[in-house]
Amino acid sequence: MAHGRIGETLEECRKRYGKETETKNGAVLFTKAEVWVVVVFWKDKVHRIGFMVASDEGKGKALSVVQRDALLEANRPSDGKGNKVKWERSWDGLDALHARWRTVDKSMCAEYADNALIVITKKFKDHLVILEEAKKKKNATEKATKEKEALKDF
């Protein structure tokens, strides 16, 4: 069983999982114990990590409940005093194939869907929201500029 760690560096990931098998779109893929581990670094630390059972077809297979729970446990943050922060499960509109959690201190969240467990820090999630908002604003500005340009000879 591969256990991931939010907050690790690339070197720490290499020690834990071995050499990466692929790097694509800012994500680094490792394979260990028949589990794909996909990590995303921000500020040189893992802030998003995904897990699924490897398969020959290129699509991941479902994690067992035991695997999923072990990976959630492995990624519980510390409260700074050596105590692990607990996960709370959310049941809002989800079925048996989907689940969401967040830590009681709200520093991390996790989701299990489409055969993958994704764990992400709140700081990184907030960062992604800001990037998405900036992208939307830029696209709107570019669209407005093009519309203005198209009408300049009217």
Side-chain angles (χ1 to χ4, degrees):
M1 165 72 72
H3 290 273
R5 300 288 187 276
I6 290 285
E8 287 189 337
T9 64
L10 178 57
E11 270 315 303
E12 289 170 318
C13 288
R14 286 176 175 153
K15 286 178 187 172
R16 183 174 304 284
Y17 307 118
K19 185 162 174 40
E20 59 269 31
T21 56
E22 187 177 345
T23 301
K24 189 175 183 179
N25 298 327
V28 181
L29 174 68
F30 298 91
T31 304
K32 183 175 180 177
E34 298 182 27
V35 173
W36 287 331
V37 181
V38 181
V39 297
V40 176
F41 294 92
W42 181 52
K43 298 182 179 181
D44 300 322
K45 301 277 186 181
V46 175
H47 277 267
R48 183 181 188 276
I49 190 163
F51 306 94
M52 70 175 41
V53 175
S55 75
D56 294 334
E57 299 87 42
K59 285 186 136 184
K61 296 180 185 175
L63 294 165
S64 71
V65 172
V66 171
Q67 289 172 313
R68 184 199 67 199
D69 290 349
L71 292 165
L72 278 170
E73 179 66 25
N75 282 283
R76 277 176 51 195
S78 173
D79 65 1
K81 300 175 188 171
N83 303 312
K84 291 281 194 170
V85 178
K86 291 183 179 184
W87 288 105
E88 293 178 318
R89 186 161 180 176
S90 169
W91 295 96
D92 56 337
L94 302 174
D95 58 35
L97 299 175
H98 300 85
R100 288 190 188 122
W101 300 263
R102 70 176 180 189
T103 54
V104 293
D105 67 355
K106 298 179 177 59
S107 66
M108 291 177 25
C109 59
E111 182 170 0
Y112 183 77
D114 300 322
N115 295 338
L117 175 67
I118 307 295
V119 180
I120 187 168
T121 64
K122 182 179 183 320
K123 287 180 183 179
F124 187 59
K125 193 172 183 179
D126 291 347
H127 168 72
L128 293 176
V129 168
I130 290 167
L131 288 178
E132 186 60 30
E133 288 172 357
K135 183 179 176 182
K136 285 179 184 176
K137 185 176 181 179
K138 180 182 175 198
N139 290 342
T141 301
E142 288 173 356
K143 181 181 177 189
T145 300
K146 285 180 184 178
E147 289 174 352
K148 266 180 146 174
E149 284 292 318
L151 300 174
K152 74 177 181 179
D153 292 328
F154 275 71

PDB file of all heavy atoms in Angstrom, residues 75-93:
ATOM      1  N   ASN A  75      -2.734  11.040   5.353  1.00  0.00           N
ATOM      2  CA  ASN A  75      -2.691  12.446   4.979  1.00  0.00           C
ATOM      3  C   ASN A  75      -3.357  13.375   5.987  1.00  0.00           C
ATOM      4  O   ASN A  75      -3.603  14.538   5.688  1.00  0.00           O
ATOM      5  CB  ASN A  75      -3.306  12.633   3.593  1.00  0.00           C
ATOM      6  CG  ASN A  75      -2.331  12.231   2.526  1.00  0.00           C
ATOM      7  OD1 ASN A  75      -1.406  12.978   2.216  1.00  0.00           O
ATOM      8  ND2 ASN A  75      -2.480  11.039   1.997  1.00  0.00           N
ATOM      9  N   ARG A  76      -3.646  12.862   7.172  1.00  0.00           N
ATOM     10  CA  ARG A  76      -4.182  13.744   8.218  1.00  0.00           C
ATOM     11  C   ARG A  76      -3.095  14.703   8.669  1.00  0.00           C
ATOM     12  O   ARG A  76      -1.990  14.289   9.001  1.00  0.00           O
ATOM     13  CB  ARG A  76      -4.645  12.928   9.422  1.00  0.00           C
ATOM     14  CG  ARG A  76      -6.030  12.357   9.244  1.00  0.00           C
ATOM     15  CD  ARG A  76      -6.456  11.470  10.388  1.00  0.00           C
ATOM     16  NE  ARG A  76      -6.291  12.080  11.695  1.00  0.00           N
ATOM     17  CZ  ARG A  76      -6.330  11.390  12.829  1.00  0.00           C
ATOM     18  NH1 ARG A  76      -6.522  10.078  12.828  1.00  0.00           N
ATOM     19  NH2 ARG A  76      -6.185  11.995  13.976  1.00  0.00           N
ATOM     20  N   PRO A  77      -3.400  15.985   8.702  1.00  0.00           N
ATOM     21  CA  PRO A  77      -2.383  16.941   9.154  1.00  0.00           C
ATOM     22  C   PRO A  77      -2.246  16.919  10.679  1.00  0.00           C
ATOM     23  O   PRO A  77      -3.125  16.443  11.384  1.00  0.00           O
ATOM     24  CB  PRO A  77      -2.935  18.283   8.677  1.00  0.00           C
ATOM     25  CG  PRO A  77      -4.414  18.089   8.672  1.00  0.00           C
ATOM     26  CD  PRO A  77      -4.630  16.643   8.289  1.00  0.00           C
ATOM     27  N   SER A  78      -1.155  17.466  11.130  1.00  0.00           N
ATOM     28  CA  SER A  78      -0.915  17.616  12.563  1.00  0.00           C
ATOM     29  C   SER A  78      -1.383  18.999  12.987  1.00  0.00           C
ATOM     30  O   SER A  78      -1.372  19.943  12.205  1.00  0.00           O
ATOM     31  CB  SER A  78       0.575  17.466  12.854  1.00  0.00           C
ATOM     32  OG  SER A  78       0.845  17.759  14.195  1.00  0.00           O
ATOM     33  N   ASP A  79      -1.777  19.131  14.231  1.00  0.00           N
ATOM     34  CA  ASP A  79      -2.225  20.420  14.749  1.00  0.00           C
ATOM     35  C   ASP A  79      -1.069  21.283  15.243  1.00  0.00           C
ATOM     36  O   ASP A  79      -1.267  22.326  15.829  1.00  0.00           O
ATOM     37  CB  ASP A  79      -3.253  20.230  15.858  1.00  0.00           C
ATOM     38  CG  ASP A  79      -2.682  19.553  17.098  1.00  0.00           C
ATOM     39  OD1 ASP A  79      -1.473  19.241  17.125  1.00  0.00           O
ATOM     40  OD2 ASP A  79      -3.460  19.321  18.037  1.00  0.00           O
ATOM     41  N   GLY A  80       0.157  20.831  15.008  1.00  0.00           N
ATOM     42  CA  GLY A  80       1.324  21.577  15.464  1.00  0.00           C
ATOM     43  C   GLY A  80       1.800  21.152  16.841  1.00  0.00           C
ATOM     44  O   GLY A  80       2.873  21.532  17.290  1.00  0.00           O
ATOM     45  N   LYS A  81       0.988  20.349  17.536  1.00  0.00           N
ATOM     46  CA  LYS A  81       1.345  19.859  18.863  1.00  0.00           C
ATOM     47  C   LYS A  81       1.569  18.351  18.831  1.00  0.00           C
ATOM     48  O   LYS A  81       1.604  17.706  19.874  1.00  0.00           O
ATOM     49  CB  LYS A  81       0.232  20.193  19.862  1.00  0.00           C
ATOM     50  CG  LYS A  81      -0.053  21.665  19.998  1.00  0.00           C
ATOM     51  CD  LYS A  81      -1.241  21.903  20.902  1.00  0.00           C
ATOM     52  CE  LYS A  81      -1.646  23.359  20.871  1.00  0.00           C
ATOM     53  NZ  LYS A  81      -2.910  23.590  21.563  1.00  0.00           N
ATOM     54  N   GLY A  82       1.655  17.798  17.616  1.00  0.00           N
ATOM     55  CA  GLY A  82       1.860  16.360  17.488  1.00  0.00           C
ATOM     56  C   GLY A  82       0.573  15.551  17.424  1.00  0.00           C
ATOM     57  O   GLY A  82       0.607  14.332  17.289  1.00  0.00           O
ATOM     58  N   ASN A  83      -0.566  16.224  17.524  1.00  0.00           N
ATOM     59  CA  ASN A  83      -1.853  15.535  17.442  1.00  0.00           C
ATOM     60  C   ASN A  83      -2.366  15.571  16.010  1.00  0.00           C
ATOM     61  O   ASN A  83      -2.268  16.593  15.331  1.00  0.00           O
ATOM     62  CB  ASN A  83      -2.886  16.205  18.353  1.00  0.00           C
ATOM     63  CG  ASN A  83      -2.417  16.246  19.790  1.00  0.00           C
ATOM     64  OD1 ASN A  83      -1.955  15.247  20.329  1.00  0.00           O
ATOM     65  ND2 ASN A  83      -2.510  17.412  20.406  1.00  0.00           N
ATOM     66  N   LYS A  84      -2.954  14.475  15.554  1.00  0.00           N
ATOM     67  CA  LYS A  84      -3.526  14.421  14.210  1.00  0.00           C
ATOM     68  C   LYS A  84      -4.911  15.062  14.210  1.00  0.00           C
ATOM     69  O   LYS A  84      -5.707  14.843  15.109  1.00  0.00           O
ATOM     70  CB  LYS A  84      -3.631  12.972  13.728  1.00  0.00           C
ATOM     71  CG  LYS A  84      -2.290  12.322  13.455  1.00  0.00           C
ATOM     72  CD  LYS A  84      -1.769  12.782  12.133  1.00  0.00           C
ATOM     73  CE  LYS A  84      -0.632  11.921  11.651  1.00  0.00           C
ATOM     74  NZ  LYS A  84      -0.279  12.210  10.287  1.00  0.00           N
ATOM     75  N   VAL A  85      -5.180  15.874  13.195  1.00  0.00           N
ATOM     76  CA  VAL A  85      -6.481  16.514  13.029  1.00  0.00           C
ATOM     77  C   VAL A  85      -7.435  15.501  12.400  1.00  0.00           C
ATOM     78  O   VAL A  85      -7.066  14.786  11.473  1.00  0.00           O
ATOM     79  CB  VAL A  85      -6.357  17.769  12.139  1.00  0.00           C
ATOM     80  CG1 VAL A  85      -7.707  18.423  11.925  1.00  0.00           C
ATOM     81  CG2 VAL A  85      -5.375  18.766  12.751  1.00  0.00           C
ATOM     82  N   LYS A  86      -8.653  15.441  12.887  1.00  0.00           N
ATOM     83  CA  LYS A  86      -9.620  14.454  12.403  1.00  0.00           C
ATOM     84  C   LYS A  86     -10.283  14.897  11.103  1.00  0.00           C
ATOM     85  O   LYS A  86     -10.450  16.080  10.845  1.00  0.00           O
ATOM     86  CB  LYS A  86     -10.710  14.228  13.454  1.00  0.00           C
ATOM     87  CG  LYS A  86     -10.211  13.538  14.683  1.00  0.00           C
ATOM     88  CD  LYS A  86     -11.342  13.267  15.653  1.00  0.00           C
ATOM     89  CE  LYS A  86     -10.781  12.551  16.877  1.00  0.00           C
ATOM     90  NZ  LYS A  86     -11.804  12.167  17.808  1.00  0.00           N
ATOM     91  N   TRP A  87     -10.671  13.886  10.311  1.00  0.00           N
ATOM     92  CA  TRP A  87     -11.489  14.102   9.126  1.00  0.00           C
ATOM     93  C   TRP A  87     -12.962  14.028   9.521  1.00  0.00           C
ATOM     94  O   TRP A  87     -13.347  13.195  10.324  1.00  0.00           O
ATOM     95  CB  TRP A  87     -11.242  13.000   8.081  1.00  0.00           C
ATOM     96  CG  TRP A  87      -9.932  13.055   7.374  1.00  0.00           C
ATOM     97  CD1 TRP A  87      -8.853  12.233   7.588  1.00  0.00           C
ATOM     98  CD2 TRP A  87      -9.546  13.927   6.315  1.00  0.00           C
ATOM     99  NE1 TRP A  87      -7.836  12.560   6.739  1.00  0.00           N
ATOM    100  CE2 TRP A  87      -8.231  13.599   5.937  1.00  0.00           C
ATOM    101  CE3 TRP A  87     -10.194  14.963   5.651  1.00  0.00           C
ATOM    102  CZ2 TRP A  87      -7.550  14.257   4.927  1.00  0.00           C
ATOM    103  CZ3 TRP A  87      -9.508  15.628   4.637  1.00  0.00           C
ATOM    104  CH2 TRP A  87      -8.211  15.277   4.294  1.00  0.00           C
ATOM    105  N   GLU A  88     -13.791  14.901   8.936  1.00  0.00           N
ATOM    106  CA  GLU A  88     -15.244  14.831   9.065  1.00  0.00           C
ATOM    107  C   GLU A  88     -15.795  14.468   7.690  1.00  0.00           C
ATOM    108  O   GLU A  88     -15.398  15.057   6.686  1.00  0.00           O
ATOM    109  CB  GLU A  88     -15.837  16.192   9.439  1.00  0.00           C
ATOM    110  CG  GLU A  88     -15.486  16.690  10.799  1.00  0.00           C
ATOM    111  CD  GLU A  88     -16.104  18.067  11.028  1.00  0.00           C
ATOM    112  OE1 GLU A  88     -16.079  18.926  10.124  1.00  0.00           O
ATOM    113  OE2 GLU A  88     -16.585  18.273  12.152  1.00  0.00           O
ATOM    114  N   ARG A  89     -16.719  13.517   7.650  1.00  0.00           N
ATOM    115  CA  ARG A  89     -17.313  13.132   6.378  1.00  0.00           C
ATOM    116  C   ARG A  89     -18.543  13.988   6.104  1.00  0.00           C
ATOM    117  O   ARG A  89     -19.343  14.251   6.993  1.00  0.00           O
ATOM    118  CB  ARG A  89     -17.703  11.662   6.387  1.00  0.00           C
ATOM    119  CG  ARG A  89     -18.197  11.217   5.026  1.00  0.00           C
ATOM    120  CD  ARG A  89     -18.148   9.751   4.857  1.00  0.00           C
ATOM    121  NE  ARG A  89     -18.641   9.423   3.514  1.00  0.00           N
ATOM    122  CZ  ARG A  89     -18.665   8.232   3.028  1.00  0.00           C
ATOM    123  NH1 ARG A  89     -18.213   7.221   3.746  1.00  0.00           N
ATOM    124  NH2 ARG A  89     -19.125   7.998   1.824  1.00  0.00           N
ATOM    125  N   SER A  90     -18.698  14.388   4.856  1.00  0.00           N
ATOM    126  CA  SER A  90     -19.852  15.160   4.425  1.00  0.00           C
ATOM    127  C   SER A  90     -20.775  14.236   3.640  1.00  0.00           C
ATOM    128  O   SER A  90     -20.321  13.456   2.812  1.00  0.00           O
ATOM    129  CB  SER A  90     -19.391  16.312   3.529  1.00  0.00           C
ATOM    130  OG  SER A  90     -20.489  16.910   2.907  1.00  0.00           O
ATOM    131  N   TRP A  91     -22.052  14.314   3.892  1.00  0.00           N
ATOM    132  CA  TRP A  91     -23.025  13.459   3.209  1.00  0.00           C
ATOM    133  C   TRP A  91     -23.916  14.254   2.276  1.00  0.00           C
ATOM    134  O   TRP A  91     -24.893  13.724   1.755  1.00  0.00           O
ATOM    135  CB  TRP A  91     -23.891  12.724   4.236  1.00  0.00           C
ATOM    136  CG  TRP A  91     -23.086  11.774   5.047  1.00  0.00           C
ATOM    137  CD1 TRP A  91     -22.548  12.013   6.276  1.00  0.00           C
ATOM    138  CD2 TRP A  91     -22.697  10.452   4.697  1.00  0.00           C
ATOM    139  NE1 TRP A  91     -21.837  10.918   6.719  1.00  0.00           N
ATOM    140  CE2 TRP A  91     -21.924   9.936   5.757  1.00  0.00           C
ATOM    141  CE3 TRP A  91     -22.902   9.643   3.588  1.00  0.00           C
ATOM    142  CZ2 TRP A  91     -21.368   8.665   5.755  1.00  0.00           C
ATOM    143  CZ3 TRP A  91     -22.355   8.377   3.579  1.00  0.00           C
ATOM    144  CH2 TRP A  91     -21.591   7.898   4.648  1.00  0.00           C
ATOM    145  N   ASP A  92     -23.592  15.493   2.023  1.00  0.00           N
ATOM    146  CA  ASP A  92     -24.469  16.364   1.245  1.00  0.00           C
ATOM    147  C   ASP A  92     -24.645  15.891  -0.202  1.00  0.00           C
ATOM    148  O   ASP A  92     -23.810  16.112  -1.051  1.00  0.00           O
ATOM    149  CB  ASP A  92     -23.964  17.812   1.281  1.00  0.00           C
ATOM    150  CG  ASP A  92     -22.527  17.953   0.808  1.00  0.00           C
ATOM    151  OD1 ASP A  92     -21.776  16.967   0.868  1.00  0.00           O
ATOM    152  OD2 ASP A  92     -22.169  19.052   0.367  1.00  0.00           O
ATOM    153  N   GLY A  93     -25.764  15.228  -0.454  1.00  0.00           N
ATOM    154  CA  GLY A  93     -26.135  14.841  -1.807  1.00  0.00           C
ATOM    155  C   GLY A  93     -25.255  13.812  -2.474  1.00  0.00           C
ATOM    156  O   GLY A  93     -25.247  13.695  -3.690  1.00  0.00           O
TER     157      GLY A  93
END
